[in-house]
């Protein structure tokens, strides 16, 4: 996840110039330097997007998120700008998608049922259910199930590692919050280990190696649509594992 090619000291000078004058020229220079970050975030978000979404519009919304990040960023805080800006950029992109009302209510209802069905079958079978078992439990035709699988990607816009801006801006977390987060990480690691092999590889490449949809597809020699499908299934399985973990703590 790299920004522009300007040396580190040059970037520091850009920030100094912007903080002194808060002018458009300095802000635009910073935006130009960090523009590759917008393309990177869009490339990672693409793992959850349907084909009809206009990429240029997505990039434009991300650019405004970048400008917002530059204006709001506090250089005194112990946070890397790239980390802070990535959340703002992604948030702007997601807001743009939500404003388009791109997922019908009926589709959302069916996606929720899919998640509930997967969780119930996992609990009953003691393993990850197959597509055929999920389709049969939901009483869907082949055509309906294929349509549902296309909708699952849209439902995983907010991936399992998403962090709020408030989290990034917060002070040192409380001891109890730190303990709960560590427990969450352990549960997530165990859940990832239990994923089917291809889903586990996709999760590893996406969340740990931070590769884009296109890069993962090239590595696994699969289509981008197939990688998106594997990612969606993994996210639903992991969400179920985390939900059961949180329920056990209540």
């Amino acid at each position: 996840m790299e920004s522009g090619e300007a040396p580190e000291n040059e970037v520091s000078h850009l920030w100094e110039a912007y903080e002194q004058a808060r002018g458009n020229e300095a802000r635009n220079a910073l935006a130009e330097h960090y523009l590759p970050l917008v393309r990177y975030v869009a490339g990672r978000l693409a793992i959850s997007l349907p084909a009809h979404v206009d990429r240029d519009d997505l990039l434009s919304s991300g650019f405004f998120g970048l400008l917002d990040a530059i204006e709001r960023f506090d250089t005194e805080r112990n946070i890397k700008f790239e980390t802070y800006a990535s959340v703002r950029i992604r948030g702007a992109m997601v807001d743009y998608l939500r404003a388009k009302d791109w997922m019908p209510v009926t589709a959302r209802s069916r996606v929720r049922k899919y998640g509930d069905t997967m969780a119930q079958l996992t609990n009953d079978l003691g393993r990850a259910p197959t597509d055929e078992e999920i389709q049969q439990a939901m009483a869907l035709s082949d055509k309906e199930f294929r349509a549902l699988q296309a909708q699952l990607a849209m439902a995983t816009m907010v991936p399992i590692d998403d962090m709020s801006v408030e989290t990034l801006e917060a002070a040192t977390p409380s001891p109890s919050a730190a303990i709960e987060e560590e427990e969450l990480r352990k549960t997530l690691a165990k859940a990832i280990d239990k994923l089917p092999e291809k889903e586990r590889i996709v999760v590893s490449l996406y969340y740990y190696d931070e590769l884009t949809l296109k890069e993962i597809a090239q590595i696994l020699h699969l289509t981008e649509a197939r990688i998106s499908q594997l990612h969606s299934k993994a996210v639903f399985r992991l969400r179920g594992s985390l939900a059961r973990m949180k329920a056990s703590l209540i």
Side-chain angles (χ1 to χ4, degrees):
M1 182 172 58
E2 297 179 355
S3 328
E5 298 298 326
E8 190 64 34
N9 60 340
E10 185 177 330
V11 179
S12 297
H13 290 324
L14 289 176
W15 276 110
E16 290 172 7
Y18 177 67
E19 291 194 328
Q20 288 174 5
R22 308 293 289 186
N24 289 337
E25 185 176 346
R27 184 197 65 179
N28 292 342
L30 281 169
E32 183 178 355
H33 171 72
Y34 290 110
L35 191 58
L37 188 60
V38 177
R39 291 193 288 269
Y40 171 81
V41 173
R44 283 179 54 75
L45 188 61
I47 202 168
S48 304
L49 298 179
H52 68 265
V53 171
D54 190 293
R55 184 177 176 81
D56 288 338
D57 287 345
L58 194 67
L59 289 171
S60 294
S61 62
F63 180 73
F64 286 112
L66 172 61
L67 293 179
D68 180 59
I70 291 172
E71 292 175 357
R72 291 172 177 267
F73 186 60
D74 184 354
T75 56
E76 297 300 317
R77 285 187 176 271
N78 189 28
I79 302 173
K80 286 186 63 177
F81 176 75
E82 288 86 348
T83 303
Y84 177 83
S86 293
V87 177
R88 288 281 177 188
I89 292 167
R90 190 177 188 283
M93 291 179 177
V94 171
D95 286 345
Y96 157 75
L97 293 168
R98 286 174 176 161
K100 291 175 69 67
D101 193 23
W102 60 314
M103 190 172 184
V105 174
T106 52
R108 294 182 189 278
S109 175
R110 184 165 285 182
V111 165
R112 281 196 297 271
K113 184 178 179 182
Y114 174 91
D116 292 341
T117 302
M118 177 180 281
Q120 185 61 54
L121 286 174
T122 300
N123 185 63
D124 293 344
L125 300 172
R127 59 169 173 80
T130 64
D131 285 348
E132 291 74 17
E133 289 168 337
I134 296 173
Q135 179 180 349
Q136 183 177 4
M138 294 182 69
L140 296 176
S141 66
D142 290 344
K143 183 178 180 180
E144 290 172 330
F145 193 69
R146 283 195 299 271
L148 172 60
Q149 288 181 316
Q151 293 163 348
L152 294 179
M154 293 187 279
T156 53
M157 275 199 314
V158 181
I160 56 175
D161 67 346
D162 207 16
M163 297 178 65
S164 68
V165 174
E166 289 74 18
T167 299
L168 288 173
E169 294 177 333
T172 304
S174 65
S176 60
I179 293 173
E180 184 175 342
E181 181 179 352
E182 179 60 27
E183 191 63 32
L184 194 65
R185 288 180 183 277
K186 290 179 180 178
T187 300
L188 185 57
K190 292 178 182 177
I192 290 174
D193 286 340
K194 293 179 181 179
L195 289 174
E197 182 181 10
K198 286 185 179 178
E199 292 177 26
R200 188 171 66 250
I201 293 173
V202 169
V203 167
S204 176
L205 293 174
Y206 184 76
Y207 291 101
Y208 293 98
D209 295 327
E210 298 190 346
L211 300 185
T212 63
L213 172 65
K214 184 177 182 179
E215 291 168 335
I216 298 172
Q218 290 173 343
I219 290 174
L220 296 182
H221 304 291
L222 297 171
T223 65
E224 293 184 25
R226 179 57 178 157
I227 297 299
S228 179
Q229 186 183 89
L230 290 168
H231 169 264
S232 299
K233 290 180 181 179
V235 169
F236 273 94
R237 296 191 207 279
L238 294 173
R239 282 179 177 172
S241 297
L242 295 179
R244 288 192 295 274
M245 176 270 198
K246 290 181 178 179
S248 68
L249 296 176
I250 298 176

